[in-house]
Amino acid sequence: MVTLIAAALLSSCDHSGNEQAPPVSAEPVRPASLREADPCSFLPESASAPYGLHPGQLHKGEVVRSCMWPAEAFSVGVYINWDPQVLVNFSQAYPLPAGEAVLDGVAVILQKSSTIPACGMAFLAERGTVIEVVSGDQPPVVADRACDRVKMAGTEVIRRMREQGVLDTAFTAAPTTR
């Protein structure tokens, strides 16, 4: 079942290359651009181990770089997408609105799957590039648990992106209230 969830979460990704993620060092890596960044570095072992997540698997495609961390009963994935179709694909995979949130100063949208207990969040990280953090559970768990996990993982992802200098504040600033 975990394989089914992982397959559903990875359905929009080109699986042309799978790699074991390198260990995350204490010193943040500074990629040349967000599209060159390693999404596995956005959720370090210190943040994934408490959930029982196995090491992340890096996937590189023509319009996406992703990392998937499986666990016994659920999985977590992080995607760097520069495909213009990405928000349509995201809305199809996660069609049920689950609200909006501000995570570490970044406004994100949350949506749930209508077919499996899964949740995803998305935000524009720079012009033309969307970050997704997704999580899925095995039934009969409800997607609310996956949404809580997405928020916690998403906060860590945002912090790591900021440390690596790949978060464009012009696109990610949360709206201010007047």
Side-chain angles (χ1 to χ4, degrees), residues 109-166:
I109 60 166
L110 295 161
Q111 296 194 188
K112 298 177 188 176
S113 170
S114 60
T115 58
I116 59 175
C119 184
M121 73 169 226
F123 66 94
L124 189 61
E126 65 182 19
R127 182 177 304 279
T129 307
V130 175
I131 301 296
E132 292 177 63
V133 178
V134 298
S135 182
D137 282 288
Q138 288 186 359
V141 176
V142 295
D144 292 338
R145 285 182 58 196
C147 285
D148 290 340
R149 192 177 307 111
V150 161
K151 288 180 200 175
M152 289 185 285
T155 300
E156 185 65 31
V157 166
I158 290 166
R159 287 181 185 150
R160 288 294 174 143
M161 290 177 68
R162 195 172 280 126
E163 287 174 7
Q164 293 179 23
V166 294

Side-chain angles (χ1 to χ4, degrees), residues 9 43 51 53 67-71 74-78 133-136 149-150 153:
L9 294 174
L43 192 59
Y51 294 109
L53 293 168
C67 191
M68 180 63 68
W69 293 264
F74 63 92
S75 59
V76 174
V78 175
V133 178
V134 298
S135 182
R149 192 177 307 111
V150 161

Side-chain angles (χ1 to χ4, degrees), residues 10-140:
L10 288 170
S11 63
S12 66
C13 157
D14 175 2
H15 303 294
S16 61
N18 300 333
E19 301 175 14
Q20 181 72 25
V24 178
S25 67
E27 186 66 30
V29 175
R30 299 264 179 198
S33 71
L34 179 54
R35 291 182 184 185
E36 295 300 316
D38 177 1
C40 293
S41 71
F42 296 164
L43 192 59
E45 187 176 341
S46 61
S48 63
Y51 294 109
L53 293 168
H54 301 290
Q57 294 289 318
L58 178 64
H59 306 275
K60 296 179 185 178
E62 290 183 31
V63 294
V64 65
R65 291 170 79 85
S66 66
C67 191
M68 180 63 68
W69 293 264
E72 297 305 317
F74 63 92
S75 59
V76 174
V78 175
Y79 300 82
I80 304 169
N81 295 283
W82 54 93
D83 180 355
Q85 183 75 15
V86 69
L87 291 178
V88 172
N89 294 344
F90 179 79
S91 294
Q92 289 173 348
Y94 304 97
L96 306 175
E100 297 176 3
V102 176
L103 304 179
D104 204 40
V106 175
V108 303
I109 60 166
L110 295 161
Q111 296 194 188
K112 298 177 188 176
S113 170
S114 60
T115 58
I116 59 175
C119 184
M121 73 169 226
F123 66 94
L124 189 61
E126 65 182 19
R127 182 177 304 279
T129 307
V130 175
I131 301 296
E132 292 177 63
V133 178
V134 298
S135 182
D137 282 288
Q138 288 186 359

